[in-house]
Short mmCIF file of all heavy atoms in Angstrom, two decimals:
data_model
loop_
_atom_site.label_atom_id
_atom_site.label_comp_id
_atom_site.label_asym_id
_atom_site.label_seq_id
_atom_site.Cartn_x
_atom_site.Cartn_y
_atom_site.Cartn_z
N LYS A 255 98.35 124.15 53.06
CA LYS A 255 98.97 123.17 52.18
C LYS A 255 100.44 122.95 52.51
O LYS A 255 101.06 122.03 51.99
CB LYS A 255 98.82 123.61 50.72
CG LYS A 255 97.40 123.54 50.23
CD LYS A 255 97.31 123.96 48.78
CE LYS A 255 95.88 123.90 48.30
NZ LYS A 255 95.75 124.32 46.91
N ASP A 256 101.03 123.78 53.37
CA ASP A 256 102.44 123.64 53.74
C ASP A 256 102.57 122.72 54.95
O ASP A 256 103.28 123.00 55.90
CB ASP A 256 103.06 125.01 54.03
CG ASP A 256 104.58 124.95 54.21
OD1 ASP A 256 105.18 123.93 53.83
OD2 ASP A 256 105.15 125.91 54.74
N VAL A 257 101.83 121.62 54.90
CA VAL A 257 101.87 120.63 55.96
C VAL A 257 102.24 119.29 55.32
O VAL A 257 101.66 118.90 54.31
CB VAL A 257 100.52 120.53 56.70
CG1 VAL A 257 100.51 119.38 57.68
CG2 VAL A 257 100.22 121.83 57.42
N MET A 258 103.21 118.62 55.90
CA MET A 258 103.65 117.32 55.41
C MET A 258 103.12 116.25 56.35
O MET A 258 102.93 116.50 57.53
CB MET A 258 105.18 117.27 55.35
CG MET A 258 105.76 118.26 54.36
SD MET A 258 107.49 118.62 54.67
CE MET A 258 107.34 119.89 55.92
N ARG A 259 102.89 115.07 55.82
CA ARG A 259 102.43 113.95 56.63
C ARG A 259 103.57 112.95 56.72
O ARG A 259 103.98 112.37 55.73
CB ARG A 259 101.21 113.32 55.97
CG ARG A 259 100.57 112.25 56.78
CD ARG A 259 99.68 112.84 57.84
NE ARG A 259 98.99 111.75 58.53
CZ ARG A 259 98.45 111.88 59.70
NH1 ARG A 259 98.44 113.04 60.30
NH2 ARG A 259 97.85 110.88 60.27
N ARG A 260 104.12 112.80 57.94
CA ARG A 260 105.26 111.91 58.14
C ARG A 260 105.04 111.04 59.37
O ARG A 260 104.75 111.56 60.45
CB ARG A 260 106.54 112.72 58.32
CG ARG A 260 107.76 111.83 58.46
CD ARG A 260 109.01 112.64 58.54
NE ARG A 260 110.17 111.81 58.42
CZ ARG A 260 111.30 112.06 59.04
NH1 ARG A 260 111.43 113.12 59.80
NH2 ARG A 260 112.32 111.26 58.89
N LYS A 261 105.18 109.75 59.19
CA LYS A 261 105.06 108.78 60.28
C LYS A 261 103.75 108.98 61.06
O LYS A 261 103.72 108.94 62.28
CB LYS A 261 106.27 108.86 61.21
CG LYS A 261 107.57 108.51 60.51
CD LYS A 261 108.75 108.57 61.44
CE LYS A 261 110.01 108.21 60.68
NZ LYS A 261 111.20 108.25 61.52
N GLY A 262 102.67 109.24 60.32
CA GLY A 262 101.36 109.40 60.93
C GLY A 262 101.13 110.73 61.60
O GLY A 262 100.11 110.94 62.24
N GLU A 263 102.05 111.66 61.46
CA GLU A 263 101.95 112.97 62.12
C GLU A 263 101.97 114.08 61.07
O GLU A 263 102.63 113.97 60.04
CB GLU A 263 103.13 113.19 63.07
CG GLU A 263 103.24 112.19 64.18
CD GLU A 263 102.26 112.43 65.31
OE1 GLU A 263 101.66 113.52 65.38
OE2 GLU A 263 102.09 111.52 66.14
N ASN A 264 101.26 115.17 61.35
CA ASN A 264 101.33 116.36 60.52
C ASN A 264 102.53 117.19 60.96
O ASN A 264 102.74 117.40 62.15
CB ASN A 264 100.06 117.20 60.65
CG ASN A 264 98.87 116.51 60.02
OD1 ASN A 264 99.00 115.75 59.07
ND2 ASN A 264 97.69 116.79 60.54
N VAL A 265 103.30 117.66 59.98
CA VAL A 265 104.49 118.46 60.25
C VAL A 265 104.36 119.77 59.49
O VAL A 265 104.18 119.76 58.27
CB VAL A 265 105.78 117.72 59.84
CG1 VAL A 265 107.00 118.58 60.11
CG2 VAL A 265 105.89 116.38 60.56
N SER A 266 104.47 120.87 60.19
CA SER A 266 104.36 122.19 59.58
C SER A 266 105.68 122.58 58.91
O SER A 266 106.71 122.69 59.58
CB SER A 266 104.01 123.23 60.65
OG SER A 266 104.24 124.53 60.16
N GLY A 267 105.62 122.81 57.61
CA GLY A 267 106.80 123.27 56.90
C GLY A 267 107.26 124.63 57.40
O GLY A 267 108.46 124.88 57.51
#
Side-chain angles (χ1 to χ4, degrees):
K255 290 181 181 179
D256 189 16
V257 173
M258 296 160 276
R259 186 80 176 161
R260 182 176 191 213
K261 298 181 180 180
E263 300 283 345
N264 291 330
V265 180
S266 165

